[in-house]
Amino acid sequence: RTDVPTSIVDSVLKRTSLLDGRERMVLSYAAVLGKRFDLQLLFRLCGVASSAEQSETVRIVDRAIELQVLERAASDTRTFQFVHDRILEAFYGLIPPAERRRLHDTIGAALEEGGPRDAGRDIYDLAYHYIMSGNREKILSCAMPAALKAKEHYANDTAMRYLYIIIHLIEETPGMLDRDGMRDLWIRAT
């Protein structure tokens, strides 16, 4: 999280009123992608296909940089990030919950199709977006690998969080796992 004084964040949030509806929508979709996002994934999420639409989306991102809503990530020219979590949350909140779930599911599918760029990080992103989408089948297929990866890196709190999500889903689905299956799940994850 970038350390920015609250008064500056409030000032930036006020400047977002200068954005038109399309600009707010693109930045809201970027917020669903997360604090840092890839421009190609934003194109896909926004349904941008033509070069003219891509240019328009780049113009919107550039405008957001001018308004100090976004900044370029230091590591990559096609990766951007919100300058503050409160700004991200403001844009995220503009999207109704059902639409957010659909967008998270779309992002999960895009991450799966795109192939691993950083398999360690991508499994967390994949699990996060499917958890936020509520796609039970995909949550079950991604949360355990994320839990095991977290355990492997001694991120035990993260591993347990994924495990609790899995157990909650299993408990909601009668007959999914018997007592022995639940025991094996605990042993594998702990």
Side-chain angles (χ1 to χ4, degrees):
R1 177 179 157 160
T2 306
D3 290 326
V4 180
T6 303
S7 61
I8 294 174
V9 172
D10 291 336
S11 174
V12 171
L13 285 171
K14 286 179 186 171
R15 277 187 246 145
T16 63
S17 66
L18 301 173
L19 299 169
D20 66 29
R22 172 78 179 148
E23 292 167 330
R24 279 193 297 277
M25 189 270 306
V26 167
L27 293 173
S28 294
Y29 280 28
V32 177
L33 287 167
K35 172 86 172 168
R36 291 175 59 112
F37 62 91
D38 175 81
L39 192 57
Q40 292 300 317
L41 198 50
L42 181 61
F43 289 160
R44 180 165 179 175
L45 193 60
C46 293
V48 169
S50 72
S51 60
E53 291 171 323
Q54 287 181 358
S55 294
E56 174 61 11
T57 303
V58 168
R59 184 201 62 76
I60 291 168
V61 168
D62 287 343
R63 176 123 195 258
I65 291 170
E66 288 171 19
L67 293 173
Q68 298 175 331
V69 170
L70 297 176
E71 60 189 4
R72 289 187 190 282
S75 61
D76 183 358
T77 60
R78 297 190 63 80
T79 302
F80 300 87
Q81 62 190 26
F82 284 88
V83 297
H84 197 277
D85 292 340
R86 281 187 47 209
I87 295 168
L88 178 144
E89 290 163 6
F91 282 105
Y92 189 83
L94 294 175
I95 301 176
E99 177 72 1
R100 282 195 303 251
R101 285 189 298 276
R102 184 191 68 75
L103 292 170
H104 280 294
D105 199 58
T106 300
I107 294 166
L111 289 173
E112 282 186 303
E113 291 171 12
R117 291 180 311 269
D118 174 357
R121 176 157 161 64
D122 284 350
I123 190 62
Y124 297 129
D125 290 343
L126 198 56
Y128 168 77
H129 287 294
Y130 280 135
I131 289 165
M132 296 305 289
S133 77
N135 184 331
R136 298 168 61 89
E137 179 183 323
K138 292 295 188 173
I139 293 169
L140 289 172
S141 70
C142 295
M144 183 53 98
L148 294 173
K149 187 72 165 176
K151 179 185 168 197
E152 181 181 305
H153 288 99
Y154 303 102
N156 295 328
D157 289 343
T158 301
M160 291 305 292
R161 190 173 65 243
Y162 286 122
L163 186 59
Y164 284 128
I165 289 168
I166 294 165
I167 289 170
H168 177 73
L169 285 176
I170 291 170
E171 288 175 345
E172 287 182 346
T173 311
M176 181 175 248
L177 277 183
D178 59 13
R179 178 175 239 123
D180 290 337
M182 286 294 276
R183 186 192 72 237
D184 292 343
L185 179 64
W186 272 109
I187 290 170
R188 187 170 171 214
T190 56

